[in-house]
Amino acid sequence: MNKLILLLPVLAVSGFAQSAADAANPMSTWLRNAYTGNRNNIVRTAEKMPEENYGMRPGAQMEVRTFGQQVTHVAAYNFLWCSQAKGEKNPNPGNLDTITSKAEALKVLNDAFSYCDGVYKGLTDASGIEVIDITQENGRQTRNLRMGLLTLNYAHNNEIYGSMVIYLREKNIVPPASEPRPQQKK
């Protein structure tokens, strides 16, 4: 019941601007669109950051991830949570924090998002409310709604994007979500 309460705001927001095809699956349509927009911002952020800044940390705090580690962290969790939502073994369970080059980080990020794209594309409201077994990072077994796990993935991506924006701003680079929008032709 608590999970349904958490999804009610999603239902309210998803009621706006839907096509007839999307109306049958308002929750999953909203989540898919939110994930896609966020996904695109993260990829564009990783592309915009110059290679020489992939090892930077904001400030002098050593426990804060480097920019490159933020990119690979997103990839690692997208592989983890989307594989669990799919009911599959994680296709990339390795330690992605060892990746240091921009090219390698972008490749693993795009691979992770490509893997997740299929999960979000196939999501319906009915499949989203199925209860699935999840193994957390600490090995603890839990159960959750498939859509709950994918919402967690989207929210986590959004949080990391917010962190990545700080790195861009420190280098005077405009983040993708803050770029000027093209003017509509009248």
Side-chain angles (χ1 to χ4, degrees):
M1 186 64 170
N2 289 341
K3 292 175 178 119
L4 181 59
I5 291 170
L6 292 173
L7 288 175
L8 287 178
V10 173
L11 285 171
V13 172
S14 68
F16 298 100
Q18 290 184 345
S19 70
D22 294 338
N25 292 290
M27 293 185 302
S28 55
T29 298
W30 177 86
L31 183 56
R32 181 174 29 263
N33 291 338
Y35 158 82
T36 301
N38 185 261
R39 169 209 199 286
N40 293 339
N41 279 337
I42 291 171
V43 170
R44 289 176 51 220
T45 298
E47 290 170 346
K48 287 182 90 166
M49 182 61 87
E51 168 97 31
E52 64 267 15
N53 296 326
Y54 262 62
M56 78 170 273
R57 297 178 198 276
Q61 298 179 3
M62 290 308 295
E63 70 274 1
V64 176
R65 290 183 193 103
T66 67
F67 182 84
Q69 288 171 332
Q70 293 283 29
V71 173
T72 59
H73 177 78
V74 168
Y77 277 84
N78 275 265
F79 277 125
L80 175 67
W81 287 333
C82 286
S83 66
Q84 291 186 8
K86 247 180 146 173
E88 295 180 354
K89 185 178 177 189
N90 185 341
N92 195 339
N95 182 3
L96 302 181
D97 284 343
T98 61
I99 294 172
T100 58
S101 80
K102 178 178 179 175
E104 289 177 282
L106 278 171
K107 180 180 181 339
V108 75
L109 179 67
N110 282 308
D111 289 349
F113 280 140
S114 292
Y115 181 76
C116 279
D117 289 349
V119 176
Y120 283 91
K121 184 177 180 184
L123 185 67
T124 64
D125 288 6
S127 69
I129 60 171
E130 292 173 358
V131 176
I132 58 174
D133 294 318
I134 299 168
T135 303
Q136 296 180 352
E137 308 75 64
N138 63 6
R140 188 172 140 233
Q141 298 290 315
T142 61
R143 303 193 87 187
N144 200 339
L145 298 177
R146 177 175 285 113
M147 193 170 301
L149 179 61
L150 292 174
T151 301
L152 172 65
N153 185 61
Y154 157 72
H156 179 258
N157 287 349
N158 204 44
E159 288 174 8
I160 300 301
Y161 172 69
S163 296
M164 293 169 77
V165 164
I166 295 167
Y167 296 74
L168 289 182
R169 293 286 189 192
E170 282 194 8
K171 295 299 179 184
N172 295 315
I173 300 170
V174 176
S178 298
E179 292 172 339
R181 305 290 187 256
Q183 294 295 321
Q184 297 279 338
K185 293 181 181 179
K186 294 182 182 191

